[in-house]
Structures are given as structure tokens and as C-alpha cells.
Amino acid sequence: MNVLVTGAAGFVGKNLVCALKNLRDGKDRTRPGLSVGEIFEYDLGTDPSLLAEFCQRADFVFHLAGVNRPKDPAEFMSGNFGFSGTLLDTLKRCGNSCPVLLSSSVQASLEGRYAESEYGKSKLAGEELFFRYGEETGAKVLVYRLPNLFGKWCRPNYNSAVATFCHNIANDLPIQVNDPSTELELVYIDDLMTQLLDALEGREARDGRFCKVPVSHRVTLGRIAELLYSFRGQPETLLLPDIPDGSFEKKLYSTYLSYLPREKMTVPLKMHTDQRGSFTEVLKTRACGQFSVNISKPGVTKGQHWHHSKWEWFVVVSGHGLIRERNLGTGEVISFEVSGDELQAIQMLPGYTHSITNLSDREDLVTLMWANEAFDPDRPDTYFEEV
């Protein structure tokens, strides 16, 4: 199916066009029943004469174009209502009654603090225009009243506090939080994309007259700022904050990283180096331990210790070595010859003293190590004992 996207250069438009192209080009195979043909991108810089051709050939229309912060408040109505009329009139002239989806805003509601805003009035007028169009033509009309959105490519210092906070904190600039207890309802851009593509497949989520994104998050400004400052400190502490699957924290972290300047994309790590080689902590977590990289010089043996409860995985990624473990209870010794040519994970078990030896006389032995808990110098659970 051919798809027309208005506002294609905006925050939502960019993400949607990329998602559609991934489907069209076979890079995204998660929707085998959805076949995307041509994608018509329409925005402020597009030749207006192309609109008629796009409307003639479209099988589905995403109307995302709108005005958020004009210099003149009168532009709200012309941008959010006027162009909507132009789009729908063009579809009528083309005799095209394909489904149309409108990206509106919760500010279109006649209740609450947005009721009298010029932006809210213009969005409400656009909604009513679409509903009347559906009644007149029989076209399927989907109207989404969206709350605040966040995610990659959202423009800072424009209409998103999250984008501004992410940009400023990533770039060591100050932020202003007038009331930390102010709560926002937020929808993540990928959750919105899931719903828009569901709608393209005819599986939109509805809430009465309107459509909705089923997944949203209610978070205070103070919590957002707190999380972002913890993300900024991660390269120094190496401690990754808790980011459960589907959580706001995980989505916010991805958003924050998209604003990092080039100089912060590189994280220098502290290498503990001696004549035997080096040991470098890479990443720590509260719930899932830590990752480290160990480098052993030719002929060197490291380890020679055991743990009561801690366990580890060793993965030799380069070189040739020997891992030995001795059960302190039975005295049994188990050996594993390891090589970067054939990756395997060897488990260091509780109650076994263990060592790793570089068998090469010229190459370093490089080992990726994972421990089930981050190292605590006050409770190291590490005891010297030769294998």
C-alpha cells in the first residue's frame, strides 16, 4: 500500500517515515502481513503541486503536520486547521476515500487548563473537520489525542520539556524546574510508532470516538531530572541504573543517549595495570553484577582465589589459555583449555578456587569476565588460595 505522511520532516514524521521504509525495504520483518509500497513525504519544503498526486495515489494518509510555536497565534488556526482542510479537499477532488489518521493533542479537550488556548482551539477545529469529512465521504477517520511525546530526534527548546532536559543535561547546560512535583503524561515515540503501524494494519486501539496509544507514563518533572542526572554520571560510576523492560527509565535512557555530543560518546575506562597485564571494570549493575576485561601477559597466571557465594563467567576472546578450578571440599581439579578461536563461557563456581594462565609465549590473553555482583571492597568475598 502507498502511504502519504504530512509533516514528514517533524519529530513524529521522521520516526514514522523511517519505520515505513524499514518495512518497505524488508529490514523490519515483524509485520509480515503489511506491504508498504511508495511513501509520499510532504512537509513545508515540498512543492505544493505534488499534494494532488500524493492524494490521488495514497492508500492511507497520516496527517501529522501542525503548528506548535508560531510567532503569531493566528498561525495556529491556519496551520492546524487550514492545511487540514486543504488536504481533505484534495482527497475529495481525487475521489480518494482511503483511511486518514490525524495526530491531534490532549489540548483539544474542552476541559481543563487547555480549554481556552489558541493551540487547543485549533486542534479541536481540526478534529471536527476530520470527523465531518468521515461522515460526508464514508472514509475511515482515526483521531489520536496525544499527550506529551518524547524520544530520539525530538527538538529541544521547542515544545518538549523532556527533549530540553535531555539536551541540556547531556551537554552540561542548566535546566529549570519550577515545580518538581508537576506531573506529565508521556508517550514514548516507539510506543506511538507501534500504534500507528497497528492502525495501518486496521488494528487501532480506540477509546470511544478517539484512538489512543495504550502505553503511557505519568512522571513528575523532578523524577525526570533526577534520572537524567544519574544517566549523566554513569560513565564515572560505571553503574547502570535499573532499566526494566518496558519501563519509563529504559525509554528515557535511550532518549537521553540520542542527545549526547560527540565528545561524550567515548568513555575512558580505568585500567589497573601491572607487570602481569591489566584488569578493567567496564559496567556495573545493582541487580546483575558487573562486566570486566582481563588481559594477561604471556606465561602469566592470574586468579588463585575463591568465593563463598559469588560466581563468574570467563570468556577468552583472544589468545590461548588454561582455566583450572579446584573444589575446596573434595580437592578435585578441573581444567579447561580455552582459545579466542572457539568462544565458550566457563563458569567459576562458588567454593572452587580458580586460576587462568596464558599458554602463549608471545600473545596476550584477553578475557571478558562477568561476575554476578559488582565488586564491593567492604565485602569482597574473595580469598587467596592456589589451585
Side-chain angles (χ1 to χ4, degrees):
M1 85 173 44
N2 298 330
V3 180
L4 167 58
V5 181
T6 72
F11 167 43
V12 178
K14 285 180 186 176
N15 280 274
L16 179 58
V17 168
C18 283
L20 290 170
K21 288 180 178 178
N22 283 340
L23 289 165
R24 180 197 64 190
D25 299 339
K27 298 175 183 177
D28 180 352
R29 300 179 183 178
T30 61
R31 296 175 182 266
L34 182 57
S35 177
V36 176
E38 292 196 65
I39 303 167
F40 305 123
E41 301 178 44
Y42 192 90
D43 210 278
L44 289 175
T46 307
D47 183 348
S49 66
L50 292 174
L51 184 61
E53 178 188 348
F54 293 166
C55 286
Q56 178 71 47
R57 300 178 59 194
D59 299 304
F60 195 103
V61 176
F62 289 96
H63 183 39
L64 310 178
V67 175
N68 293 308
R69 285 199 173 186
K71 295 179 180 179
D72 183 349
E75 294 178 35
F76 277 128
M77 195 59 74
S78 62
N80 294 330
F81 175 75
F83 179 68
S84 294
T86 300
L87 172 67
L88 297 179
D89 286 344
T90 306
L91 286 168
K92 283 182 185 178
R93 287 197 304 272
C94 294
N96 188 349
S97 58
C98 70
V100 289
L101 184 152
L102 173 65
S103 169
S104 187
S105 167
V106 293
Q107 296 194 35
S109 171
L110 293 176
E111 301 175 356
R113 60 193 177 101
Y114 301 120
E116 297 302 319
S117 73
E118 294 302 317
Y119 177 74
K121 290 177 182 178
S122 68
K123 283 295 188 181
L124 179 61
E127 290 178 356
E128 293 304 324
L129 188 66
F130 266 71
F131 284 130
R132 287 198 301 272
Y133 171 80
E135 294 169 359
E136 294 170 3
T137 65
K140 183 178 182 179
V141 170
L142 305 136
V143 176
Y144 284 79
R145 279 186 171 176
L146 300 175
N148 298 281
L149 304 176
F150 72 105
K152 66 183 183 302
W153 307 336
C154 189
R155 180 176 165 187
N157 302 306
Y158 185 56
N159 66 335
S160 168
V162 174
T164 301
F165 285 6
C166 286
H167 172 270
N168 285 17
I169 291 175
N171 288 275
D172 299 320
L173 299 172
I175 63 171
Q176 181 175 342
V177 182
N178 295 325
D179 182 0
S181 66
T182 298
E183 187 178 72
L184 301 179
E185 182 185 5
L186 296 164
V187 165
Y188 183 51
I189 190 64
D190 285 6
D191 293 327
L192 175 57
M193 291 303 106
T194 295
Q195 177 55 207
L196 295 185
L197 294 177
D198 283 350
L200 189 59
E201 291 186 303
R203 298 185 291 109
E204 66 276 1
R206 285 193 172 270
D207 184 11
R209 191 185 192 194
F210 297 93
C211 298
K212 65 176 183 179
V213 180
V215 180
S216 66
H217 305 271
R218 291 190 175 274
V219 193
T220 65
L221 289 175
R223 177 59 175 161
I224 294 170
E226 176 188 11
L227 285 169
L228 291 174
Y229 280 120
S230 74
F231 299 161
R232 187 174 72 176
Q234 191 277 330
E236 296 179 7
T237 65
L238 299 182
L239 183 62
L240 190 67
D242 295 334
I243 48 172
D245 189 38
S247 67
F248 172 74
E249 290 79 4
K250 183 176 182 180
K251 297 168 186 177
L252 184 64
Y253 207 159
S254 293
T255 303
Y256 167 77
L257 291 175
S258 71
Y259 291 88
L260 280 184
R262 182 185 183 281
E263 60 271 18
K264 288 194 176 183
M265 293 171 68
T266 300
V267 178
L269 299 173
K270 183 178 180 181
M271 297 178 66
H272 301 274
T273 305
D274 59 24
Q275 71 278 5
R276 301 175 303 157
S278 66
F279 179 79
T280 306
E281 294 177 317
V282 176
L283 185 68
K284 300 179 181 181
T285 70
R286 292 185 179 89
C288 300
Q290 76 174 45
F291 292 89
S292 308
V293 173
N294 183 75
I295 299 176
S296 301
K297 294 296 183 182
V300 165
T301 296
K302 286 188 173 184
Q304 306 284 33
H305 61 243
W306 65 280
H307 314 290
H308 278 298
S309 297
K310 185 185 298 184
W311 79 89
E312 301 163 294
W313 279 28
F314 289 3
V315 181
V316 169
V317 296
S318 179
H320 180 208
L322 180 69
I323 293 174
R324 303 176 73 226
E325 299 186 58
R326 175 167 60 86
N327 187 323
L328 293 176
T330 66
E332 178 188 13
V333 176
I334 307 172
S335 298
F336 305 92
E337 192 168 346
V338 289
S339 167
D341 295 330
E342 186 177 349
L343 298 185
Q344 55 184 321
I346 308 299
Q347 300 193 64
M348 305 298 111
L349 308 182
Y352 282 72
T353 187
H354 49 270
S355 66
I356 182 167
T357 301
N358 186 347
L359 297 179
S360 172
D361 57 5
R362 62 182 186 278
E363 293 181 343
D364 288 347
L365 182 69
V366 182
T367 308
L368 173 66
M369 297 180 171
W370 171 82
N372 71 306
E373 59 186 42
F375 180 73
D376 180 355
D378 295 326
R379 298 182 63 189
D381 188 18
T382 300
Y383 309 95
F384 176 78
E385 177 86 21
E386 290 189 0
V387 176

